[in-house]
Amino acid sequence: MTVHQNGNISTEASDFLLNCFARSPSWQLWLSLPLSLLFLLAMGANTTLLTTIRLEASLHEPMYYLLSLLSLLDMVLCLTVIPKVLAIFWFDLRSISFFACFLQMFIMNCFLAMESCTFMVMAYDRYVAICHPLRYPSIITDQFVVKAAIFILARNSLTILPIPILSGRLHYCGRNVIENCICANMSVSRLSCDDITINRLYQFAFGWALLGSDLILIFLSYTLILRAVLKLKSEGAVAKALSTCGSHFILILFFSTILLVFVLTHVAKKKVSPDVPVLLNVLHHVIPAALNPIVYGVRTQEIKQGIQRLLKKGW
């Protein structure tokens, strides 16, 4: 493809230009430092968590395998989005190939859905642990984790795959400038001169249906957990259960809230700057990744002790 001087591309398009915060260029300057620090925190914290679970034999249990899966998803999401955004901020490397753009679109949509599904499985794990503690070892086994991982991968990959396919088959005969920092589905599809109604409907019906159903099941799990915890007679057990599940639930709520705000700002785009949903979209790929290993990992006593043992061995 050849990019013409007027910003248009021919029908043989092979790359796009990411126009990041075009209306608020100063955002790039003040956002680059905290974004790079959050990225380093996310990668470092998740790497530490994965290493600890891998090397500590006492952590080779289903609950920690699920934590490892969540960390892997977070790291892939971060690596898919943040390095490219920082490259735009620091070196103005706005060009992205046609293939890379749709690959990024698939990974972002798929792994966000997989992360939501993992939250749901982890909520079920906590439900069984607290509401049916005697049956926990027979229900939450290594085989359960393997089956859950296969389900998470298959359900979300197969359901999300049509999103980049539908966008990729569109005829891009006009502009090649994406008004976003990343290859978001609708930001790319709007550049097409074809009808994108099917793209909109599929994204809404299947993408949000996945996250919506996961969120409903998560809320149900934690409601049942709260009811069971309040029946406990031991104040210490109640405090420990509420502390653990409360922090987990707040993190999941944050994950869902930032998505909801992102949707609402898109709906009310006439009342807010178009750069606001772009900013939320970028932050959503790094803030949960930085918080997840801290809330799920460091606040867990066994993992904290495992990290301390590894540090002692290292010294």
Side-chain angles (χ1 to χ4, degrees):
M1 176 206 79
T2 302
V3 182
H4 302 299
Q5 292 182 352
N6 60 8
N8 292 342
I9 57 174
S10 67
T11 53
E12 296 83 22
S14 63
D15 68 351
F16 294 109
L17 292 176
L18 292 165
N19 201 18
C20 201
F21 299 129
R23 296 168 185 81
S24 310
S26 61
W27 287 20
Q28 294 192 27
L29 180 63
W30 65 260
L31 188 60
S32 60
L33 180 59
L35 190 64
S36 58
L37 292 176
L38 279 170
F39 174 68
L40 291 174
L41 174 61
M43 298 305 294
N46 282 290
T47 300
T48 301
L49 185 63
L50 285 169
T51 304
T52 303
I53 293 173
R54 172 70 181 84
L55 297 179
E56 281 292 313
S58 61
L59 299 179
H60 293 175
E61 296 179 5
M63 181 177 75
Y64 303 112
Y65 293 148
L66 291 173
L67 276 175
S68 298
L69 177 59
L70 185 65
S71 285
L72 285 172
L73 294 175
D74 281 335
M75 291 178 74
V76 172
L77 273 171
C78 263
L79 289 169
T80 302
V81 173
I82 305 304
K84 180 60 180 177
V85 174
L86 291 176
I88 296 172
F89 287 179
W90 292 338
F91 310 112
D92 199 33
L93 298 177
R94 299 188 298 144
S95 178
I96 185 169
S97 71
F98 194 84
F99 173 77
C101 187
F102 290 108
L103 178 61
Q104 187 191 63
M105 184 189 297
F106 172 71
I107 293 174
M108 287 189 304
N109 283 280
C110 183
F111 277 66
L112 278 174
M114 288 170 67
E115 187 163 340
S116 171
C117 196
T118 304
F119 279 136
M120 179 189 69
V121 175
M122 293 173 71
Y124 176 72
D125 169 82
R126 291 300 83 202
Y127 161 73
V128 177
I130 293 174
C131 299
H132 303 283
L134 297 179
R135 297 177 57 196
Y136 182 83
S138 62
I139 296 175
I140 309 298
T141 62
D142 290 353
Q143 290 77 15
F144 169 83
V145 174
V146 171
K147 290 177 182 177
I150 293 172
F151 169 74
I152 291 169
L153 179 64
R155 186 198 78 161
N156 297 293
S157 297
L158 294 175
T159 308
I160 298 299
L161 185 59
I163 289 179
I165 291 177
L166 286 171
S167 293
R169 63 189 290 273
L170 293 173
H171 187 55
Y172 295 93
C173 55
R175 297 169 297 133
N176 73 325
V177 179
I178 301 171
E179 299 295 337
N180 208 325
C181 297
I182 56 180
C183 289
N185 177 32
M186 297 316 301
S187 296
V188 176
S189 299
R190 288 193 196 100
L191 300 180
S192 169
C193 46
D194 294 337
D195 183 14
I196 61 172
T197 303
I198 295 177
N199 299 61
R200 291 179 183 273
L201 290 175
Y202 192 91
Q203 170 106 4
F204 178 81
F206 289 88
W208 294 110
L210 290 179
L211 299 177
S213 61
D214 290 344
L215 192 58
I216 290 171
L217 291 172
I218 288 168
F219 268 102
L220 178 61
S221 296
Y222 281 106
T223 300
L224 294 172
I225 288 171
L226 181 61
R227 190 176 71 174
V229 164
L230 293 177
K231 290 181 180 179
L232 295 175
K233 295 180 180 179
S234 170
E235 291 185 6
V238 171
K240 183 179 179 181
L242 287 177
S243 175
T244 303
C245 293
S247 58
H248 292 187
F249 184 73
I250 289 170
L251 194 59
I252 294 167
L253 198 61
F254 173 80
F255 175 84
S256 307
T257 301
I258 197 169
L259 277 177
L260 180 61
V261 172
F262 172 62
V263 174
L264 292 176
T265 51
H266 258 300
V267 172
K269 54 189 172 184
K270 291 183 180 179
K271 298 181 180 180
V272 298
S273 168
D275 286 333
V276 172
V278 172
L279 174 63
L280 290 172
N281 210 343
V282 171
L283 293 179
H284 188 250
H285 288 86
V286 67
I287 292 180
L291 293 179
N292 285 343
I294 296 172
V295 174
Y296 277 100
V298 177
R299 281 180 62 97
T300 303
Q301 191 65 27
E302 292 79 5
I303 290 180
K304 193 185 298 182
Q305 292 172 352
I307 293 174
Q308 290 171 350
R309 284 194 292 268
L310 285 179
L311 290 175
K312 288 178 181 178
K313 291 178 183 177
W315 287 105

